[in-house]
Amino acid sequence: MVVRLVLPATLCRRGVCRLSTRLFGSGNTRNVGIIAHIDAGKTTTTERMLLLAGAVHAAGEVDSGDTVTDFLEQERERGITIQSAATSFGWRGAAVSLIDTPGHIDFTVEVERAVRVLDGAVLIVDAVAGAQAQTETVWRQARRHGVPAVAFVNKMDREGADWESAASSLATRLQLRPLRLQLPLYEPAGTADGAQHFVGAVDLVSGVAMRWRPRGAQLGTGSRSEAVGL
């Protein structure tokens, strides 16, 4: 769920590049950072982006310790990102250098190193918790370096997820006006309490409703899009 907010010289290893201090981007190269509070889902989102772009054949899982950007032994043991790491993929004729950054306050310096070289950032927000303390910190870092950003409300399928509350928390905690680019789609869960399942999103720019494929379906199957009147 998207909300709009109004590579360096590298040493690569196993598809992952450790950041140096200067970025040399040109032409169609774009350097995009993933920033957020710890456990908001930065690395998981990175894995899904790589999968959709065709850069990997299967998305890794943080709990399994097989993600692309968390390659240090300590990262895989603890299930957190410690060091900013970059990977790359092609998307619609552009080369994207994607930088996954730590969310823990102890590793804020890694975020600072990364935001200096970014063309843009994606601010991940937990749909249950909303904007949190480190969300404010990384946002201030991005603003200090003039990095444009969009917010992505993650974990919409979790119990307690609240799209409106999460989007509103951006205004409250970050002192900005969030412009909603998507709205969630729900379907009745068929339970006595009238609960609803999150099943997709309406893109307010294109006017297209996107419904997610069933869990376990192969990429490219089991999903559908439909135009909606706005």
Side-chain angles (χ1 to χ4, degrees):
M1 301 295 299
V2 181
V3 180
R4 182 179 179 182
L5 306 175
V6 173
L7 260 174
T10 54
L11 174 63
C12 296
R13 175 187 175 189
R14 293 167 60 185
V16 178
C17 304
R18 293 187 179 182
L19 298 178
S20 70
T21 57
R22 190 171 297 274
L23 177 69
F24 301 97
S26 62
N28 289 332
T29 299
R30 295 294 180 268
N31 303 281
V32 180
I34 307 293
I35 59 176
H37 186 90
I38 189 171
D39 288 336
K42 295 181 303 301
T43 301
T44 300
T45 301
T46 297
E47 288 292 319
R48 270 42 183 191
M49 293 173 72
L50 291 172
L51 178 64
L52 289 173
V56 296
H57 297 296
E61 298 289 344
V62 173
D63 292 340
S64 301
D66 58 358
T67 60
V68 171
T69 52
D70 283 351
F71 62 92
L72 296 176
E73 184 176 349
Q74 284 184 309
E75 291 177 319
R76 297 192 169 188
E77 288 178 353
R78 299 171 63 181
I80 63 172
T81 300
I82 295 174
Q83 174 179 279
S84 293
T87 187
S88 60
F89 58 86
W91 186 258
R92 297 183 178 180
V96 178
S97 294
L98 188 63
I99 304 172
D100 183 21
T101 67
H104 196 285
I105 189 172
D106 290 347
F107 310 115
T108 300
V109 66
E110 286 289 318
V111 182
E112 185 70 21
R113 292 175 61 221
V115 296
R116 294 176 181 176
V117 300
L118 297 181
D119 294 311
V122 180
L123 180 67
I124 307 291
V125 180
D126 188 315
V128 179
Q132 298 168 271
Q134 195 66 4
T135 312
E136 296 183 47
T137 300
V138 298
W139 174 248
R140 286 196 299 268
Q141 290 175 297
R143 296 307 301 151
R144 185 162 59 248
H145 292 282
V147 179
V150 295
F152 176 72
V153 180
N154 196 25
K155 303 185 179 182
M156 282 291 296
D157 57 341
R158 297 290 181 87
E159 184 177 354
D162 189 326
W163 158 247
E164 283 299 331
S165 178
S168 296
S169 72
L170 293 169
T172 303
R173 301 202 65 155
L174 306 186
Q175 301 298 303
L176 50 77
R177 185 175 68 176
L179 176 62
R180 295 159 175 78
L181 300 181
Q182 296 179 336
L183 290 177
L185 282 177
Y186 299 98
E187 289 183 352
T191 57
D193 60 1
Q196 293 185 315
H197 285 315
F198 173 69
V199 296
V202 177
D203 187 296
L204 298 179
V205 178
S206 65
V208 173
M210 299 166 287
R211 297 177 183 272
W212 312 141
R213 64 182 59 83
R215 183 177 294 275
Q218 294 182 351
L219 187 64
T221 65
S223 62
R224 65 182 188 275
S225 298
E226 57 192 57
V228 297
L230 300 176

